[in-house]
Amino acid sequence: MRSIAAWLLLGWLGIAQAAPSAEDYARSLGLRERWIGTTRDVAWPATWRDADSFHYRKTVAGGFAFVRYELTRGERVPAFDHAALAVALERAGGGRHDPLRLPFETFSAEDGGAAIAFQAAGARWRCTLAPAECAPAPARPGRPRAFGVVRDLAVPADDRPRRSPDGRHEATVDGHDVVVRRVSDGAVVLRGEGGHAADFDDPETLAWSPDSRWLAVYRVQPGDRREVVRVEAAPRDRRQPRVRTQLYPKPGDAVDVERPLLFDVGRGRRFEIDAAQFANPYRLSPIEWRRDSGSFAFEVVHRGHQRVDLIAVDVPGEGDVAGPWIAVAEPGATFVDTWRGFRHDVGGRGEEILWLSERDGWRHLYLFDGRSGEVKRQITQGEWVVREVLRVDEAARRVWFTASGMDAGRDPYFRHLFRVDFDGGNLTRLTDADADHDVAVSPDGAHYVDVHSRVDLPPVMELRRADGGLVAEIERGDISALQAAGWRAPEPFVAKGRDGTTDIWGLVVRPRDHDPAKRYPVIENIYAGPHDAFVPKTFWPFGYHSGGDKQIGMQALADLGFIVVQIDGMGTAHRGKAFHDVAWKNLGDSGFPDRIAWHRALAATDPSYDISRVGIYGASAGGQSTLGALLFHPDIYKVGVAWNGCYDNRMDKISWNEQWMGLPEGEGDHYARASGVDNAHRLQGELLMILGEQDDNVDPASTMQVADALVRAGKDFDLLAIPGGGHAVGRSEGPIEYAHRRQSDFFVRHLLGAQPPRWNGTAATGP
């Protein structure tokens, strides 16, 4: 009745639109497959094999081909026999695939190019090439760590003996303590002590010094074993349901606490390391010995994610203790972004450390004195960000990196390649085209491959010398057939954000039959996770929906009668610390004040943009934001489709949530203020939640707790649970067309004010 009433009201207001037909839906949902084969020579970024060759993927007639380029001969050759590999993969149980539609986009060369390895359908494969033989790669031995911080003690550790570099000794863990044996006769030369089940030496962390005299290991106090339990109600291989459990620490849970121990193998001595400087760690990085065996180092992310330190431990002299000290300190008033850290030990002796830091408000390169912990030099500076360090040339004391935000008047997200000397001098720009540049530097630093593109510009792949000089244009994408089929590039739009001064960037996708004289409801595709920015900047409109829908999905929805947009608001990455910090303890913000300002600015310039009818959809963190839009901004957002959302950050994985939200503080805290469960009673608009029953990324209970709160609040909503579906169900796996048809139906019904086709009335085959 509510749907009929809404439809009648919209009709009375004169804004109801004709319902899309079943044929319209078929054209919309089939758009990706009809258009994906129309481009030619659209290249993916290069992967170097050695200093003289690289490989890449590109579009060809019939699909995609992998190509190897050889510098010496200046020619392209097939990277492998595609047909033979497809046959070998099917023979090994990897499924049937067209040779030009192989189930991977990248691979790594192994055994000097005689074999390749790749990921497909969640598994790692390895294939020899002559002859072509494929097999699933064996599972890596070892004990899993849930989200990197809690060991699964139900799985045996990899306790294979670790041999010393000189080959004379082997280290392992016997019971709970380190044991070192002489290889020649098996005699025990050192045995640790004091270990027990709640405080044990981890054999997977054993690390020999290069001179074989010293051995370090982490002693571990295990964290909480929280498990998420899921019921697979309709397994395809049996009639009865199956129960699945997953180790799944959540914000505030106790994590494994590691502290290093040091052994002098020759003298049989054991040294405790004072852990006062890292007493409350979230995570320690693996132990790394310096080249001279005089010290080892590790990074510690402190609990709460407001400090990261590089800790060094000098080996003790006779009668000394092994004392740790802080080689680099990275404190933060808000979060320290551990997703984009970089460290390089110049010379391998801990004397100089290259380090990425946002301490001046922008992500820049610094050179630290590794002994005093003082900054020797800020290498890069300015109101722009270093995006990635690609190469460190120690001999020339030079760094190669990509950066964005340098160019006034250009898109601040476009990456460009630079190099700079350790002293901050000779900053040299190596890319110029007004586009995003994806760069791969050769192992010897003599060349680089630059693939540059925009959403409206197909990729150009160039091979260049280290000085920027062009060696060859390798590929130039051809999209003429795609354009002839009716494709239109999305339109960038820039407006001021909540502060009235900061530019907010987004994209606009209109129906292909857009009529400027008509009024169109608006749908926002949202993903606002602070770990990145999500509005596409490169060309490839055909990607699936994971991590922020790609343009083809937006176009498919737009063609049913909507204007579809995507926006990067404050709280997302790559625009400086102040822009990013909006997310700190504030994931519920999702950049909405910026998004709403952007919507209003576009509506002021485009009469066809009807912001009295705004819908929104998103998955995972985008699902959380979608629900938040309806709960906290009902004056703008009227209809939402939320996929597998982390609606209450206390229910989600520890890693992503503590990074941006810090630790929970109790009832009514910042976690509660952002919670879709605690605020469910605020719902005014129309909500569809889509859930993959077997989601192993976000606890499915998060969705059901929202449903429970809505029921208790007397709210109407829709829920689509897909049996057996995972986190990406309906986006890049599972019943994609079905799930997106259901999303489209919801928007057609509640934004267009029209009735979708009656799908249950169409003929269908049985299971």
Side-chain angles (χ1 to χ4, degrees):
M1 289 297 294
R2 292 183 65 198
S3 296
I4 296 173
W7 182 82
L8 291 172
L9 176 60
L10 289 170
W12 178 260
L13 294 173
I15 55 177
Q17 296 174 225
S21 67
E23 291 75 20
D24 293 329
Y25 270 82
R27 281 192 295 271
S28 169
L29 295 172
L31 200 58
R32 174 181 281 104
E33 197 58 34
R34 288 201 311 277
W35 282 0
I36 196 169
T38 59
T39 71
R40 298 292 182 269
D41 301 324
V42 168
W44 271 249
T47 299
W48 286 91
R49 291 173 170 234
D50 50 45
D52 191 54
S53 67
F54 58 86
H55 65 258
Y56 59 95
R57 184 182 190 237
K58 74 169 189 173
T59 59
V60 296
F64 307 88
F66 291 92
V67 179
R68 185 173 77 250
Y69 185 86
E70 299 180 355
L71 276 66
T72 301
R73 295 191 291 176
E75 65 180 24
R76 306 170 191 81
V77 296
F80 49 78
D81 184 330
H82 293 62
L85 193 81
V87 170
L89 190 58
E90 181 181 5
R91 190 167 55 236
R96 177 174 294 182
H97 303 282
D98 185 292
L100 296 181
R101 298 293 291 269
L102 293 171
F104 55 93
E105 295 183 3
T106 61
F107 68 85
S108 59
E110 296 187 350
D111 296 343
I116 65 171
F118 54 86
Q119 291 284 134
R124 186 172 181 270
W125 289 83
R126 187 178 188 277
C127 301
T128 59
L129 301 181
E133 298 288 347
C134 295
R140 292 184 174 91
R143 177 176 278 159
R145 299 189 194 185
F147 303 108
V149 292
V150 176
R151 291 162 171 81
D152 187 350
L153 300 183
V155 178
D158 176 12
D159 198 14
R160 291 174 298 175
R162 272 66 171 177
R163 184 163 291 193
S164 60
D166 65 8
R168 296 175 58 199
H169 295 95
E170 287 184 337
T172 185
V173 170
D174 184 6
H176 304 295
D177 293 298
V178 164
V179 173
V180 178
R181 291 180 172 86
R182 197 163 45 234
V183 171
S184 61
D185 58 7
V188 173
V189 299
L190 183 149
R191 183 180 294 276
E193 60 183 23
H196 51 84
D199 197 25
F200 60 86
D201 296 346
D202 182 356
E204 296 180 2
T205 68
L206 287 164
W208 283 100
S209 64
D211 66 2
S212 300
R213 176 181 173 183
W214 302 92
L215 178 69
V217 69
Y218 282 142
R219 176 155 284 189
V220 180
Q221 296 176 2
D224 292 342
R225 187 176 179 85
R226 181 191 294 278
E227 291 183 339
V228 165
V229 179
R230 302 187 299 271
V231 175
E232 186 180 3
R236 297 296 175 88
D237 61 342
R238 65 191 229 185
R239 184 170 300 279
Q240 297 303 318
R242 176 183 286 115
V243 176
R244 298 185 182 275
T245 60
Q246 178 186 357
L247 185 63
Y248 193 102
K250 296 182 178 183
D253 286 353
V255 299
D256 291 354
V257 174
E258 300 171 321
R259 66 185 190 277
L261 300 177
L262 179 65
F263 299 89
D264 182 340
V265 175
R267 300 184 182 183
R269 294 188 300 172
R270 174 181 178 273
F271 297 89
E272 293 272 357
I273 310 294
D274 184 359
Q277 292 173 317
F278 46 97
N280 188 23
Y282 173 76
R283 182 181 68 241
L284 271 59
S285 69
I287 294 166
E288 297 178 42
W289 280 94
R290 268 62 187 272
R291 186 177 299 170
D292 61 2
S293 299
S295 62
F296 65 87
F298 55 91
E299 289 180 27
V300 54
V301 178
H302 295 267
R303 201 71 191 264
H305 284 77
Q306 290 187 265
R307 185 181 179 100
V308 175
D309 291 326
L310 176 64
I311 304 291
V313 180
D314 285 334
V315 299
E318 187 66 35
D320 292 339
V321 297
W325 45 281
I326 298 175
V328 178
E330 187 67 34
T334 60
F335 59 80
V336 176
D337 185 356
T338 61
W339 286 64
R340 288 181 178 79
F342 172 80
R343 167 172 56 94
H344 180 82
D345 186 341
V346 181
R349 291 179 171 82
E351 296 168 355
E352 291 183 308
I353 307 293
L354 288 169
W355 185 266
L356 266 182
S357 171
E358 293 183 289
R359 62 190 57 207
D360 74 346
W362 303 87
R363 191 184 309 122
H364 282 299
L365 278 165
Y366 291 76
L367 184 65
F368 277 80
D369 184 318
R371 302 302 301 181
S372 69
E374 298 296 321
V375 174
K376 292 182 68 173
R377 192 168 297 107
Q378 181 171 350
I379 298 173
T380 61
Q381 56 188 309
E383 294 186 357
W384 47 274
V385 297
V386 172
R387 296 287 292 273
E388 183 180 8
V389 176
L390 300 180
R391 176 178 169 80
V392 176
D393 184 340
E394 292 192 3
R397 293 183 67 80
R398 184 171 296 146
V399 185
W400 297 59
F401 64 94
T402 56
S404 60
M406 273 194 172
D407 303 316
R410 286 185 174 182
D411 189 319
Y413 296 92
F414 285 167
R415 295 168 294 171
H416 286 272
L417 177 65
F418 297 85
R419 68 169 184 255
V420 66
D421 293 344
F422 283 10
D423 64 5
N426 296 317
L427 178 65
T428 303
R429 184 189 191 117
L430 295 166
T431 53
D432 293 308
D434 185 13
D436 183 82
H437 295 258
D438 198 316
V439 175
V441 180
S442 65
D444 62 358
H447 296 88
Y448 63 91
V449 178
D450 173 22
V451 179
H452 59 270
S453 70
R454 298 189 304 259
V455 292
D456 62 342
L457 178 72
V460 176
M461 173 183 271
E462 297 172 332
L463 174 64
R464 292 182 176 270
R465 293 186 297 273
D467 62 4
L470 180 65
V471 176
E473 181 180 287
I474 308 300
E475 304 287 356
R476 180 174 291 268
D478 179 357
I479 61 171
S480 56
L482 176 63
Q483 292 169 319
W487 176 82
R488 295 178 182 175
E491 307 163 22
F493 183 75
V494 185
K496 299 302 179 185
R498 69 186 75 188
D499 58 5
T501 59
T502 303
D503 284 342
I504 303 297
W505 287 71
L507 288 178
V508 183
V509 177
R510 303 178 188 276
R512 284 181 288 154
D513 61 356
H514 178 258
D515 182 348
K518 292 183 178 180
R519 299 272 284 168
Y520 293 87
V522 174
I523 299 175
E524 181 180 343
N525 163 28
I526 188 168
Y527 193 93
H531 56 280
D532 211 336
F534 302 96
V535 174
K537 300 299 174 183
T538 61
F539 184 89
W540 187 244
F542 302 109
Y544 275 112
H545 306 269
S546 299
D549 192 8
K550 306 304 185 285
Q551 187 228 330
I552 198 70
M554 296 169 68
Q555 186 68 66
L557 192 53
D559 284 352
L560 295 177
F562 307 97
I563 296 176
V564 185
V565 302
Q566 191 171 4
I567 308 159
D568 277 324
M570 292 187 189
T572 53
H574 309 316
R575 295 289 299 279
K577 194 74 170 83
F579 192 101
H580 205 187
D581 274 349
V582 169
W584 173 239
K585 295 188 175 182
N586 191 29
L587 286 177
D589 180 276
S590 294
F592 278 121
D594 311 300
R595 298 169 187 279
I596 292 168
W598 190 96
H599 283 298
R600 288 173 172 158
L602 182 52
T605 64
D606 181 359
S608 73
Y609 196 82
D610 184 0
I611 60 167
S612 70
R613 294 181 289 165
V614 179
I616 186 168
Y617 71 96
S620 193
Q624 177 184 11
S625 296
T626 294
L627 178 59
L630 300 184
L631 300 182
F632 303 122
H633 304 280
D635 53 327
I636 295 293
Y637 296 97
K638 312 297 185 184
V639 182
V641 179
W643 303 65
N644 283 10
C646 44
Y647 304 112
D648 187 316
N649 300 106
R650 295 166 294 193
M651 287 291 294
D652 196 20
K653 68 196 78 68
I654 189 172
S655 53
W656 190 84
N657 292 275
E658 282 196 15
Q659 165 69 85
W660 316 115
M661 293 286 278
L663 290 164
E665 297 170 0
E667 292 300 317
D669 69 353
H670 55 293
Y671 276 83
R673 290 192 295 273
S675 169
V677 177
D678 291 4
N679 293 283
H681 62 280
R682 299 175 181 271
L683 182 66
Q684 297 181 38
E686 305 295 337
L687 171 66
L688 166 62
M689 292 188 293
I690 299 176
L691 170 65
E693 175 201 56
Q694 295 301 309
D695 190 341
D696 62 0
N697 184 306
V698 173
D699 185 349
S702 186
T703 296
M704 301 311 293
Q705 290 183 3
V706 173
D708 175 63
L710 291 170
V711 169
R712 287 187 285 109
K715 299 293 183 177
D716 289 350
F717 64 99
D718 288 79
L719 174 63
L720 170 61
I722 300 178
H727 190 60
V729 70
R731 298 185 285 144
S732 59
E733 63 185 34
I736 295 171
E737 184 171 318
Y738 174 81
H740 277 269
R741 192 261 290 169
R742 291 291 298 271
Q743 173 175 270
S744 297
D745 284 350
F746 201 74
F747 286 130
V748 165
R749 186 176 293 116
H750 294 294
L751 282 182
L752 286 183
Q755 286 300 317
R758 184 173 176 271
W759 301 108
N760 287 0
T762 61
T765 59

